[in-house]
Short mmCIF file of all heavy atoms in Angstrom, two decimals:
data_model
loop_
_atom_site.label_atom_id
_atom_site.label_comp_id
_atom_site.label_asym_id
_atom_site.label_seq_id
_atom_site.Cartn_x
_atom_site.Cartn_y
_atom_site.Cartn_z
N ASP A 1 135.27 -90.83 33.98
CA ASP A 1 135.63 -89.68 34.82
C ASP A 1 135.34 -89.96 36.29
O ASP A 1 134.51 -90.82 36.63
CB ASP A 1 134.83 -88.45 34.36
CG ASP A 1 135.52 -87.14 34.70
OD1 ASP A 1 136.64 -87.16 35.25
OD2 ASP A 1 134.93 -86.07 34.41
N GLU A 2 136.07 -89.25 37.14
CA GLU A 2 135.83 -89.22 38.59
C GLU A 2 135.73 -90.62 39.20
O GLU A 2 134.76 -90.96 39.88
CB GLU A 2 134.57 -88.41 38.91
CG GLU A 2 134.57 -86.99 38.38
CD GLU A 2 135.65 -86.10 38.97
OE1 GLU A 2 136.11 -86.39 40.10
OE2 GLU A 2 136.05 -85.12 38.30
N LEU A 3 136.76 -91.43 39.00
CA LEU A 3 136.81 -92.77 39.58
C LEU A 3 137.29 -92.68 41.03
O LEU A 3 138.37 -92.15 41.31
CB LEU A 3 137.76 -93.65 38.77
CG LEU A 3 138.07 -95.04 39.33
CD1 LEU A 3 136.82 -95.89 39.41
CD2 LEU A 3 139.14 -95.72 38.47
N ALA A 4 136.47 -93.18 41.96
CA ALA A 4 136.80 -93.07 43.38
C ALA A 4 136.50 -94.37 44.11
O ALA A 4 135.60 -95.12 43.73
CB ALA A 4 136.03 -91.92 44.02
N PHE A 5 137.29 -94.64 45.16
CA PHE A 5 137.16 -95.86 45.96
C PHE A 5 137.00 -95.50 47.44
O PHE A 5 137.69 -94.63 47.95
CB PHE A 5 138.41 -96.74 45.80
CG PHE A 5 138.67 -97.19 44.40
CD1 PHE A 5 139.39 -96.39 43.52
CD2 PHE A 5 138.21 -98.42 43.94
CE1 PHE A 5 139.64 -96.80 42.21
CE2 PHE A 5 138.45 -98.84 42.64
CZ PHE A 5 139.17 -98.03 41.78
N TRP A 6 136.09 -96.23 48.10
CA TRP A 6 135.87 -96.07 49.53
C TRP A 6 136.09 -97.41 50.24
O TRP A 6 135.83 -98.47 49.66
CB TRP A 6 134.42 -95.65 49.82
CG TRP A 6 134.07 -94.23 49.61
CD1 TRP A 6 133.98 -93.24 50.56
CD2 TRP A 6 133.72 -93.60 48.36
NE1 TRP A 6 133.60 -92.06 49.97
CE2 TRP A 6 133.43 -92.25 48.63
CE3 TRP A 6 133.62 -94.07 47.06
CZ2 TRP A 6 133.06 -91.35 47.64
CZ3 TRP A 6 133.26 -93.18 46.06
CH2 TRP A 6 132.97 -91.84 46.35
N ASN A 7 136.54 -97.34 51.48
CA ASN A 7 136.64 -98.55 52.30
C ASN A 7 135.44 -98.66 53.24
O ASN A 7 135.55 -99.03 54.41
CB ASN A 7 137.95 -98.59 53.08
CG ASN A 7 138.13 -97.38 53.98
OD1 ASN A 7 137.31 -96.46 53.98
ND2 ASN A 7 139.21 -97.37 54.74
N ARG A 8 134.29 -98.34 52.69
CA ARG A 8 133.01 -98.48 53.38
C ARG A 8 131.92 -98.63 52.32
O ARG A 8 132.16 -98.45 51.13
CB ARG A 8 132.71 -97.28 54.29
CG ARG A 8 132.58 -95.96 53.55
CD ARG A 8 132.41 -94.79 54.53
NE ARG A 8 132.23 -93.53 53.84
CZ ARG A 8 131.07 -93.06 53.41
NH1 ARG A 8 129.96 -93.78 53.60
NH2 ARG A 8 130.98 -91.91 52.79
N SER A 9 130.71 -98.98 52.77
CA SER A 9 129.60 -99.22 51.85
C SER A 9 128.78 -97.94 51.69
O SER A 9 128.14 -97.48 52.64
CB SER A 9 128.69 -100.34 52.38
OG SER A 9 129.44 -101.51 52.63
N LEU A 10 128.80 -97.37 50.49
CA LEU A 10 127.97 -96.21 50.23
C LEU A 10 126.50 -96.61 50.18
O LEU A 10 126.16 -97.73 49.78
CB LEU A 10 128.36 -95.57 48.90
CG LEU A 10 129.76 -94.94 48.80
CD1 LEU A 10 129.95 -94.32 47.42
CD2 LEU A 10 129.98 -93.90 49.89
N VAL A 11 125.62 -95.69 50.57
CA VAL A 11 124.18 -95.94 50.54
C VAL A 11 123.56 -95.08 49.45
O VAL A 11 124.19 -94.19 48.87
CB VAL A 11 123.54 -95.64 51.91
CG1 VAL A 11 124.11 -96.57 52.98
CG2 VAL A 11 123.74 -94.18 52.31
N GLU A 12 122.29 -95.35 49.16
CA GLU A 12 121.62 -94.67 48.04
C GLU A 12 121.60 -93.16 48.21
O GLU A 12 121.76 -92.42 47.24
CB GLU A 12 120.19 -95.19 47.89
CG GLU A 12 119.48 -94.64 46.66
CD GLU A 12 118.17 -95.34 46.37
OE1 GLU A 12 117.74 -96.17 47.21
OE2 GLU A 12 117.58 -95.09 45.32
N GLU A 13 121.43 -92.68 49.42
CA GLU A 13 121.41 -91.24 49.67
C GLU A 13 122.73 -90.59 49.25
O GLU A 13 122.75 -89.50 48.68
CB GLU A 13 121.14 -90.98 51.16
CG GLU A 13 120.81 -89.54 51.49
CD GLU A 13 120.42 -89.37 52.94
OE1 GLU A 13 120.87 -90.19 53.79
OE2 GLU A 13 119.68 -88.42 53.25
N GLU A 14 123.83 -91.28 49.49
CA GLU A 14 125.13 -90.74 49.09
C GLU A 14 125.31 -90.80 47.58
O GLU A 14 125.83 -89.86 46.96
CB GLU A 14 126.24 -91.52 49.79
CG GLU A 14 126.26 -91.34 51.29
CD GLU A 14 127.22 -92.30 51.97
OE1 GLU A 14 127.07 -93.53 51.78
OE2 GLU A 14 128.13 -91.82 52.68
N ALA A 15 124.88 -91.92 46.98
CA ALA A 15 124.99 -92.06 45.53
C ALA A 15 124.19 -90.97 44.83
O ALA A 15 124.65 -90.39 43.83
CB ALA A 15 124.52 -93.44 45.10
N LYS A 16 122.99 -90.70 45.32
CA LYS A 16 122.15 -89.66 44.71
C LYS A 16 122.77 -88.28 44.88
O LYS A 16 122.74 -87.45 43.96
CB LYS A 16 120.75 -89.68 45.32
CG LYS A 16 119.82 -88.61 44.75
CD LYS A 16 118.40 -88.80 45.24
CE LYS A 16 117.51 -87.62 44.80
NZ LYS A 16 117.60 -87.36 43.34
N LEU A 17 123.36 -88.03 46.03
CA LEU A 17 124.02 -86.74 46.27
C LEU A 17 125.16 -86.52 45.29
O LEU A 17 125.29 -85.44 44.69
CB LEU A 17 124.53 -86.69 47.71
CG LEU A 17 125.35 -85.45 48.09
CD1 LEU A 17 124.49 -84.19 48.04
CD2 LEU A 17 125.97 -85.62 49.47
N ILE A 18 126.00 -87.54 45.10
CA ILE A 18 127.12 -87.41 44.17
C ILE A 18 126.62 -87.18 42.75
O ILE A 18 127.14 -86.34 42.01
CB ILE A 18 128.01 -88.66 44.24
CG1 ILE A 18 128.64 -88.79 45.64
CG2 ILE A 18 129.11 -88.61 43.18
CD1 ILE A 18 129.33 -90.12 45.88
N TYR A 19 125.59 -87.94 42.37
CA TYR A 19 125.02 -87.78 41.03
C TYR A 19 124.42 -86.38 40.84
O TYR A 19 124.71 -85.68 39.85
CB TYR A 19 123.95 -88.83 40.80
CG TYR A 19 123.15 -88.62 39.53
CD1 TYR A 19 123.72 -88.85 38.28
CD2 TYR A 19 121.83 -88.16 39.58
CE1 TYR A 19 123.00 -88.64 37.10
CE2 TYR A 19 121.11 -87.95 38.42
CZ TYR A 19 121.69 -88.19 37.19
OH TYR A 19 120.98 -87.97 36.04
N ASP A 20 123.58 -85.93 41.79
CA ASP A 20 122.93 -84.63 41.66
C ASP A 20 123.92 -83.48 41.63
O ASP A 20 123.72 -82.50 40.91
CB ASP A 20 121.93 -84.42 42.80
CG ASP A 20 120.66 -85.25 42.66
OD1 ASP A 20 120.42 -85.77 41.56
OD2 ASP A 20 119.92 -85.37 43.66
N ALA A 21 124.98 -83.60 42.42
CA ALA A 21 125.96 -82.51 42.49
C ALA A 21 126.55 -82.21 41.13
O ALA A 21 126.85 -81.05 40.80
CB ALA A 21 127.07 -82.87 43.48
N THR A 22 126.71 -83.24 40.32
CA THR A 22 127.26 -83.06 38.98
C THR A 22 126.16 -82.79 37.96
O THR A 22 126.25 -81.87 37.15
CB THR A 22 128.06 -84.30 38.56
OG1 THR A 22 129.16 -84.45 39.45
CG2 THR A 22 128.58 -84.18 37.14
N ASN A 23 125.13 -83.60 37.97
CA ASN A 23 124.09 -83.50 36.96
C ASN A 23 123.37 -82.15 36.99
O ASN A 23 122.93 -81.65 35.95
CB ASN A 23 123.07 -84.63 37.15
CG ASN A 23 122.11 -84.75 35.99
OD1 ASN A 23 122.52 -85.00 34.86
ND2 ASN A 23 120.83 -84.59 36.28
N ASN A 24 123.24 -81.56 38.18
CA ASN A 24 122.49 -80.31 38.32
C ASN A 24 123.35 -79.07 38.25
O ASN A 24 122.83 -77.95 38.37
CB ASN A 24 121.73 -80.31 39.65
CG ASN A 24 120.70 -81.42 39.75
OD1 ASN A 24 120.34 -82.02 38.74
ND2 ASN A 24 120.24 -81.71 40.95
N ASN A 25 124.65 -79.23 38.05
CA ASN A 25 125.56 -78.08 38.10
C ASN A 25 126.56 -78.16 36.96
O ASN A 25 127.66 -78.70 37.13
CB ASN A 25 126.30 -78.04 39.44
CG ASN A 25 125.35 -77.84 40.61
OD1 ASN A 25 124.91 -76.74 40.89
ND2 ASN A 25 125.01 -78.93 41.30
N PRO A 26 126.20 -77.66 35.77
CA PRO A 26 127.11 -77.74 34.61
C PRO A 26 128.48 -77.16 34.92
O PRO A 26 128.60 -76.09 35.52
CB PRO A 26 126.38 -76.91 33.55
CG PRO A 26 124.93 -77.00 33.94
CD PRO A 26 124.92 -77.02 35.44
N GLY A 27 129.52 -77.91 34.51
CA GLY A 27 130.88 -77.46 34.74
C GLY A 27 131.41 -77.72 36.13
O GLY A 27 132.55 -77.38 36.46
N LYS A 28 130.59 -78.34 36.98
CA LYS A 28 130.98 -78.64 38.35
C LYS A 28 130.80 -80.13 38.61
O LYS A 28 130.13 -80.84 37.88
CB LYS A 28 130.13 -77.85 39.35
CG LYS A 28 130.21 -76.34 39.20
CD LYS A 28 131.56 -75.79 39.65
CE LYS A 28 131.56 -74.28 39.59
NZ LYS A 28 132.86 -73.72 40.06
N THR A 29 131.38 -80.59 39.69
CA THR A 29 131.17 -81.95 40.15
C THR A 29 131.30 -81.99 41.66
O THR A 29 131.74 -81.01 42.28
CB THR A 29 132.17 -82.92 39.49
OG1 THR A 29 131.74 -84.27 39.72
CG2 THR A 29 133.57 -82.76 40.08
N ALA A 30 130.91 -83.10 42.26
CA ALA A 30 131.02 -83.24 43.71
C ALA A 30 132.48 -83.29 44.13
O ALA A 30 133.28 -84.05 43.56
CB ALA A 30 130.30 -84.51 44.17
N ASN A 31 132.83 -82.50 45.11
CA ASN A 31 134.16 -82.60 45.73
C ASN A 31 134.09 -83.72 46.75
O ASN A 31 133.66 -83.53 47.89
CB ASN A 31 134.53 -81.28 46.39
CG ASN A 31 135.93 -81.31 46.99
OD1 ASN A 31 136.52 -82.38 47.16
ND2 ASN A 31 136.46 -80.14 47.33
#
């Protein structure tokens, strides 16, 4: 699910944000 590509290097803070947005909110995901 939610396969996305960036033309830049994501950092850990961004990876954690994307993970938390979904993991902490049932039925929702990061926009």
Side-chain angles (χ1 to χ4, degrees):
D1 205 3
E2 303 297 335
L3 173 62
F5 299 86
W6 281 261
N7 57 357
R8 62 185 182 86
S9 305
L10 294 182
V11 298
E12 186 169 7
E13 192 174 27
E14 294 171 304
K16 179 172 173 52
L17 175 66
I18 296 170
Y19 171 72
D20 286 345
T22 297
N23 191 61
N24 298 344
N25 297 281
K28 301 288 185 179
T29 193
N31 182 345

